[in-house]
Amino acid sequence: MNKTITYILLCFFAFLLLGTGTVFAESGNFVESKIVSLGVFKNGVILVQEEIPISSTGEFLLKSPPSPIHGTFFVEGDAQFTATLTEREREIPLLEAKSLNLGDDLLGKKLTVRLGEERFNAEIVRHFTLEKNVNSIMSNAYLSYVREPLVLESTPFTVVLRKETGELLFLRSLNDLQEIQLAAEEKLETVRRKEAVLAFHVTAIPEGKKAGENGDGKETQTAVLRLFYLTRGMAWMPNYQAEIHDSRSLTLRQFATLKNEWRDLQNVPTSFISGFPQIEFQNARSPMSPNVSLQAFFQSLSRSSSRSSGSSVVTQQMIMSNSISSGNYEMPATPEMSEGENMDFNMQFQEVGLMSLKAGDTIQMKLAEGRAEYKRIVCWNVEGAIQRDYHRRNENEYGKMSQGKYGAALKDCTEPWDFLQFQNPFSFPMTTAPMSVTGNGRFFAQNISGWANSGEKVFTPVNKAFGIRVSASETSPNLQARMRNAGPNTEEFPYQWTEDGRELTQTDVQRIYHKYNVGMPVRFNNNTYHGRLVNTELEMTNIKNEEVEMLVRQLIVGDFIPELYPETDAQPEVNMLPQKNGVNNVHELVWRVTLQPGETRRIQFSYRFYTN
């Protein structure tokens, strides 16, 4: 199909799309708004504040009205006014229109037309619109021209052409139309279009806010209308680079990629927003948006709840492969925020200055850089067989267990991993984002960093710790029938338990068993449970030729029994974790162990948990 035929189809389909409805006369003053503040979230939502100067009473029209998220659009100002979303017709450049309305734009123009084999000069003198039907058509030419898919509703029409001989032709079909061109002497630089506008009808401006003259004799204006709303169209994607310099220090850099699918920006004050705010209607456009019918609005409300959608920017950035999450394995007391941190309701507003960006552009920038001391730690989350089986059988009772003070769930890091530990060197929080670890031009790892306040410790996984060999074993003897004869150094209890430096007697052991209900029944929610003893042994061997600091962590469903703890130089930190109503408590045991080259360390402990 040649260019002239494509031009024909564009004209006709534009005519079908725009129709010949009632035309509003151009009225009011068209004004431009100025974006005074722009906040960009990571999930594509933007916070916009605009200002419109007002010089007098009357009607002021804002072209390209915003498309806000429902319930987030607010207008205030120094004047008394009402805001109305309506339509007005105005004259615009042909290139801005991007399409032609055959009936209106070319009415009265001299044309060269070819119908079949006949070629003649004519002009369009009239067009009719007949009753509508529901047939749908799709134009490949139109689609490729506007670069977005459209299904157009067909409207039967008749275009009246008058030939130079005076003969009138009634064009009712595209079948015979082969070519249509403007005559050489014709010019078509502008066309009239009916567009959505936001109309402000200003009825009064208070004294002191009216327009006046400054010292140069030029008009000055203080009355301003202010628009505040959330909409979609831009997103920023942070990422971090931890560059290792030596065995002690690294440089942390924060970068940001900003993608603009909204509108052209020119010197707009911009900030990047981190956090997870609740936006209940983030998927519903406000009725104050152009081309939003009541039907579409109410349909979007039914599926707009952000809480029921199950998706968030955090979820979108989770590691979805067979790897481990970084997690904050240590959560010290939250450090005090610096004055310039700009934190409100656990949200970070990071100012990045004036932005100039065309719609469709994507840019990357470096936001911050800081130096920090680091150390390497090998982390091991132990997952015992008995506990794993218990979690599987009681998943409905406990659901997902809390991550606890020291980080990720049991499924993560079940083998030793090398971690970098450093403090956030920035005066603002680190947000959830990809982090790359590099050094001396080499790449070591990429993972996801979690939220970390200024000065808070960050743990970043780098690689599996192949220099550490580990093993874990659990035994759970059946004590219910053997309580009376229970004692140390038997086949069921292989450990030489001690307390305060002395060996425990059979009486001591029975006293401890009764204290923790080991082997004894308890009633809970009309069910009978028995306390079972679990003996655990962890073993770690450092086969590297350097000292290694390890953080060993295990979650237990039950209660740790310190009285039966065997002799060891590694004492655990015990943290109770929140859990749903259940017969067992949930605890987190954490050891910090330093292994010399070639050293093997064993940790033995016991705990009780109830099972039916």
Side-chain angles (χ1 to χ4, degrees), residues 364-379:
Q364 187 183 57
M365 65 193 78
K366 185 173 74 172
L367 300 182
E369 181 176 312
R371 201 173 181 93
E373 300 294 317
Y374 79 92
K375 63 179 179 179
R376 295 175 59 178
I377 296 179
V378 174
C379 297

Side-chain angles (χ1 to χ4, degrees), residues 240-434:
Y240 297 94
Q241 180 196 29
E243 183 182 7
I244 299 173
H245 301 300
D246 48 43
S247 61
R248 295 179 56 87
S249 64
L250 59 79
T251 296
L252 183 67
R253 301 182 181 93
Q254 183 192 40
F255 297 86
T257 300
L258 177 64
K259 188 168 185 63
N260 179 20
E261 295 181 349
W262 182 44
R263 55 188 275 190
D264 292 349
L265 305 175
Q266 183 65 37
N267 294 330
V268 175
T270 305
S271 62
F272 292 158
I273 307 176
S274 301
F276 189 31
Q278 172 67 23
I279 306 176
E280 184 68 23
F281 300 108
Q282 60 177 311
N283 297 319
R285 285 201 301 162
S286 168
M288 287 297 290
S289 303
N291 304 318
V292 174
S293 66
L294 285 178
Q295 180 181 0
F297 171 68
F298 288 120
Q299 286 178 346
S300 65
L301 284 184
S302 65
R303 58 178 183 271
S304 65
S305 175
S306 60
R307 287 178 292 185
S308 61
S309 64
S311 64
S312 68
V313 65
V314 178
T315 322
Q316 295 166 10
Q317 297 188 61
M318 287 177 60
I319 298 177
M320 302 299 290
S321 60
N322 187 22
S323 58
I324 65 173
S325 171
S326 61
N328 286 328
Y329 281 80
E330 185 167 5
M331 298 291 290
T334 303
E336 296 183 359
M337 305 297 178
S338 63
E339 294 182 358
E341 201 156 16
N342 201 11
M343 288 283 293
D344 292 303
F345 291 101
N346 294 315
M347 293 173 58
Q348 163 69 21
F349 294 79
Q350 188 172 356
E351 297 181 0
V352 294
L354 301 178
M355 297 293 298
S356 296
L357 202 63
K358 296 289 186 181
D361 286 354
T362 303
I363 64 171
Q364 187 183 57
M365 65 193 78
K366 185 173 74 172
L367 300 182
E369 181 176 312
R371 201 173 181 93
E373 300 294 317
Y374 79 92
K375 63 179 179 179
R376 295 175 59 178
I377 296 179
V378 174
C379 297
W380 178 30
N381 278 347
V382 184
E383 185 178 32
I386 294 176
Q387 292 295 301
R388 183 171 58 247
D389 179 68
Y390 186 81
H391 297 321
R392 184 182 68 252
R393 292 185 289 107
N394 296 272
E395 183 176 359
N396 293 333
E397 178 183 353
Y398 288 97
K400 295 182 178 179
M401 296 180 61
S402 170
Q403 290 190 357
K405 179 179 178 181
Y406 284 87
L410 283 175
K411 65 179 180 179
D412 297 328
C413 203
T414 55
E415 298 180 78
W417 273 73
D418 272 321
F419 276 69
L420 289 181
Q421 175 188 303
F422 60 92
Q423 289 184 324
N424 175 10
F426 303 138
S427 62
F428 52 86
M430 295 173 59
T431 183
T432 304

Side-chain angles (χ1 to χ4, degrees), residues 75 86 111 138 143 187 211 326 410 431 488 515 540 583 610:
V75 185
T86 183
L111 309 168
M138 181 177 286
L143 291 177
K187 292 184 178 181
S326 61
L410 283 175
T431 183
K515 177 181 177 180
M540 298 148 283
V583 66
Y610 293 115

Side-chain angles (χ1 to χ4, degrees), residues 536-538 540 565 568 570 591 593 601-605:
T536 303
E537 180 173 294
L538 311 178
M540 298 148 283
Y565 198 83
T568 180
W591 295 265
V593 180
R601 183 74 59 85
R602 290 182 180 85
I603 296 176
Q604 296 171 322
F605 65 95

Side-chain angles (χ1 to χ4, degrees), residues 496-505 508 511-512 515 562-568 571:
Q496 184 72 27
W497 286 316
T498 61
E499 183 181 36
D500 298 329
R502 66 180 179 85
E503 183 177 321
L504 296 178
T505 65
D508 294 330
R511 170 178 54 83
I512 295 170
K515 177 181 177 180
E563 293 90 338
L564 296 181
Y565 198 83
E567 289 186 331
T568 180
Q571 299 298 324

